[in-house]
Amino acid sequence: MSATGIRLHAPAPGWSLDADIVVVGSGVAGLTAALRCAAAGLKTVVVTKARLDDGSTRWAQGGVAAALGEGDTPEQHLDDTLVAGAGLCDEEAVRILVTEGPDAVRRLIDTGAHFDTGPEGTIELTREGGHHRRRIAHAGGDATGAEISRALVEAVRARGIPTVENALVLDLLTDAEGRTAGVSLHVMGEGQHDGVGAVHAPAVVLATGGMGQVFSATTNPSVSTGDGVALALRAGAEVSDLEFVQFHPTVLFLGADAEGQQPLVSEAVRGEGAHLVDADGVRFMVGQHELAELAPRDIVAKGITRRMQEQGAQHMYLDGRHFGADMWENRFPTILAACRAHGIDPVTEPIPVAPAAHYASGGVRTDRHGRTTVPGLYACGEVACTGVHGANRLASNSLLEGLVYAERIAADITARHAENTLHARVPVPVTPPETPTHPLLPAEARFAIQRVMTEGAGVLRSASSLTEAAARLARIHAEAAGALAEHGKTAEPGVDTWETTNLLCVARVLVAAAQRREETRGCHWREDHADRDDTAWRRHIVVRLNPDRTLAAHTTETPDFPPTRPSPQEQ
């Protein structure tokens, strides 16, 4: 797979580090991969955009799904995952997830994570949407991600793994043959490293999280600007299934004009018996699905959106008043505090909720060892498309995917290192051009992109809304490209302009894929193609970036992903 030659305009690196592997991201996927590689004796460096514990993992409320309970089996977990994925899951990838998952959770516990337990010391399990059994392990009631992050960060620091915090990754470095040679990055603020630098390594693991900030309202933290997907595209990697963005059904409604990260009201609240109601107190999900409020997230998000349209309402309500104060305070303390901070008391009143962008089921295409189509480049966690989630992620499978596939990546890198296929060569990065070849967008374009995506590619999509979104994004792109081509001018390099440029890149791919998929499937809802079409569209849409910055999209011939290229033997 050839690189595009496109890179973000940035100053030349002023410092560098050498490693066997560099992990970009510090959520459950990145830190698990780093710990396993370091334990195998590999010189490992972790690069993260903020502090080690500032990624999406610590915001995860619900928990980790795994067949840990009595009577539950990996096969039942597999069945629920395949149903949620709406015909596009890679069944073997899911089988790996559910069979290796329970032991991966136990290793996480051995690392130091503490899950909530019952009187007999066994892990307490709850249910979430799409699960037919109680299989969600949680911590601190509704603070599972924070506990997992704490345990992994402490383990990384105890092992003394070198970390570069407050660092925005810029681009993949490659050698003359197109093989991975490390990453360039920019450290924000003073410290041991400052400004633009590089980490040279023959293996790079992208664990950069999601791209929720491409929409106006999201549950994602501010760092989730699609940096990993954009980097991979510029490096020549393939991405897939980007049209499948999961909108969490129950996000605290803060007003029609609210933007940025908004508080999540965990699916576990419904798992414990809270009801979705309209302003008249009617449970509108009853009769729409056998699991009512606990249907898969795409069905619940659509149900809420339909009811909002029917009633001309801006939100619905989640009613958990029957829980009582003790349950709210002990089981859902984080959610209770967030609601009260915004003037809502769930103990005495229903919570106003509406769908918001939550999780990207698609991403950088990988095989079952996390290998992308670029030699030496791996991806895991939300930035990756392993085939596990299909057209819609099953609740609480994301943390499990991060654990399982990070371990598989570490095993593959360790094996290749032992076989002298990695450390036998010292990658020499190709020197980037001094003059900009890729326009940077002004920081203020970020808000325009978010509005375009929310209006045209949100929960409800149609040919007309997507065509308009594509045209508006093209104008934003063309204006920046024209200024560069005619006057050699581009926005000043900096964190805001790099992030905005990344957001435009992923937005264009998402809209292109959504335009192409003329059906409704999973969390991709086309009003003008309301039915699922397995004959024509039980396929994956794969996209690459051309050297001229146009997009090359194609649809696979079967529901199966083609092998990543080149093959492992060629890497």
Side-chain angles (χ1 to χ4, degrees):
M1 186 67 66
S2 59
T4 64
I6 301 171
R7 290 188 179 179
L8 292 176
H9 180 47
W15 55 270
S16 65
L17 299 174
D18 292 324
D20 295 321
I21 170 178
V22 55
V23 177
V24 186
S26 60
V28 62
L31 295 188
T32 299
L35 285 166
R36 298 293 179 267
C37 286
L42 300 183
K43 185 177 181 181
T44 304
V45 173
V46 175
V47 172
T48 187
K49 194 172 181 180
R51 299 190 310 272
L52 275 183
D53 61 353
D54 266 351
S56 294
T57 290
R58 78 179 179 96
W59 296 98
Q61 294 174 346
V64 183
L68 297 166
E70 184 177 352
D72 197 6
T73 65
E75 198 67 26
Q76 293 176 70
H77 189 182
L78 180 142
D79 290 342
D80 285 346
T81 301
L82 295 181
V83 169
L88 278 187
C89 294
D90 180 324
E91 185 168 341
E92 182 56 30
V94 178
R95 193 172 299 280
I96 288 168
L97 178 82
V98 299
T99 55
E100 297 182 9
D103 283 342
V105 172
R106 295 183 185 103
R107 284 188 289 273
L108 178 62
I109 293 171
D110 291 340
T111 300
H114 301 292
F115 289 94
D116 295 340
T117 56
E120 298 179 359
T122 56
I123 295 176
E124 286 186 335
L125 300 172
T126 188
R127 277 183 68 195
E128 293 185 358
H131 293 272
H132 283 78
R133 284 192 174 272
R134 299 178 76 91
R135 66 167 65 97
I136 316 300
H138 51 83
D142 58 359
T144 311
E147 170 58 17
I148 290 173
S149 181
R150 179 205 63 77
L152 292 173
V153 168
E154 286 188 7
V156 164
R157 287 177 173 155
R159 183 172 282 278
I161 296 174
T163 61
V164 184
E165 296 181 274
N166 300 307
L168 171 64
V169 67
L170 299 176
D171 279 302
L172 188 74
L173 302 178
T174 55
D175 64 16
E177 296 178 344
R179 299 174 185 270
T180 293
V183 292
S184 59
L185 62 156
H186 172 77
V187 179
M188 299 168 270
E190 297 180 1
Q192 183 178 0
H193 306 291
D194 187 22
V196 175
V199 182
H200 299 134
V204 170
V205 177
L206 291 180
T208 53
M211 54 183 188
Q213 291 290 327
V214 79
F215 293 96
S216 297
T218 178
T219 64
N220 288 194
S222 60
V223 295
S224 298
T225 51
D227 307 319
V229 171
L231 173 151
L233 283 162
R234 289 192 296 272
E238 294 180 350
V239 302
S240 185
D241 297 359
L242 228 60
E243 68 271 31
F244 297 118
V245 175
Q246 186 179 80
F247 287 78
H248 198 289
T250 53
V251 175
L252 183 62
F253 181 75
L254 301 180
D257 297 327
E259 293 184 338
Q261 185 180 13
Q262 300 179 24
L264 174 68
V265 182
S266 170
E267 197 143 340
V269 177
R270 283 175 280 137
E272 296 292 352
H275 302 142
L276 279 167
V277 298
D278 60 20
D280 297 321
V282 176
R283 286 183 63 190
F284 55 89
M285 285 304 300
V286 174
Q288 292 198 36
H289 189 276
E290 60 169 331
L291 296 176
E293 286 96 346
L294 284 176
R297 288 178 177 175
D298 62 305
I299 293 172
V300 180
K302 292 171 188 175
I304 291 174
T305 304
R306 283 195 187 100
R307 196 67 159 193
M308 288 163 55
Q309 287 181 323
E310 291 168 1
Q311 299 188 341
Q314 294 182 323
H315 62 81
M316 291 288 108
Y317 294 93
L318 186 63
D319 192 351
R321 289 175 291 179
H322 54 286
F323 286 175
D326 286 347
M327 183 171 177
W328 274 109
E329 290 168 2
N330 294 308
R331 179 67 178 87
F332 301 112
T334 306
I335 297 169
L336 178 63
C339 289
R340 285 178 170 170
H342 291 282
I344 299 156
D345 188 350
V347 177
T348 60
E349 59 186 317
I351 305 169
V353 294
H358 183 56
Y359 191 90
S361 293
V364 185
R365 190 168 79 80
T366 73
D367 65 11
R368 292 160 194 164
H369 297 279
R371 296 178 291 227
T372 74
T373 51
V374 173
L377 179 64
Y378 296 76
C380 61
E382 190 173 355
V383 70
C385 182
T386 62
V388 159
H389 303 306
N392 188 40
R393 174 180 66 98
L394 181 65
S396 286
N397 267 356
S398 51
L399 292 175
L400 190 71
E401 182 196 31
L403 283 173
V404 169
Y405 280 88
E407 291 189 341
R408 293 179 71 83
I409 285 173
D412 189 74
I413 292 174
T414 301
R416 291 177 59 208
H417 193 274
E419 295 168 358
N420 294 324
T421 57
L422 278 177
H423 66 79
R425 67 182 183 87
V426 178
V428 178
V430 174
T431 303
E434 294 183 4
T435 55
T437 59
H438 186 50
L440 293 179
L441 296 180
E444 57 268 22
R446 175 174 183 152
F447 303 105
I449 294 166
Q450 290 171 332
R451 286 192 293 271
V452 167
M453 295 300 290
T454 296
E455 293 168 7
V459 177
L460 296 176
R461 301 167 178 174
S462 66
S464 59
S465 77
L466 291 167
T467 298
E468 174 65 17
R472 292 169 68 185
L473 293 175
R475 286 196 292 271
I476 294 172
H477 174 75
E479 185 174 335
L484 178 62
E486 294 177 21
H487 310 292
K489 293 183 178 179
T490 188
E492 193 70 24
V495 173
D496 289 344
T497 58
W498 288 322
E499 285 185 335
T500 303
T501 303
N502 285 339
L503 282 174
L504 178 63
C505 180
V506 297
R508 291 176 62 215
V509 176
L510 193 161
V511 169
Q515 283 183 291
R516 193 179 184 98
R517 183 172 292 279
E518 296 181 333
E519 65 160 355
T520 291
R521 181 186 298 271
C523 50
H524 171 67
W525 185 8
R526 286 283 298 260
E527 291 182 284
D528 52 336
H529 295 281
D531 298 321
R532 172 171 155 176
D533 183 356
D534 280 350
T535 301
W537 287 109
R538 192 163 173 247
R539 308 282 189 273
H540 300 278
I541 295 173
V542 178
V543 182
R544 288 186 59 217
L545 185 64
N546 291 320
D548 63 358
R549 299 189 296 276
T550 59
L551 301 176
H554 73 274
T555 305
T556 61
E557 296 181 359
T558 72
D560 299 323
F561 276 128
T564 55
R565 293 288 186 262
S567 68
Q569 291 76 22
E570 297 174 292
Q571 295 191 38

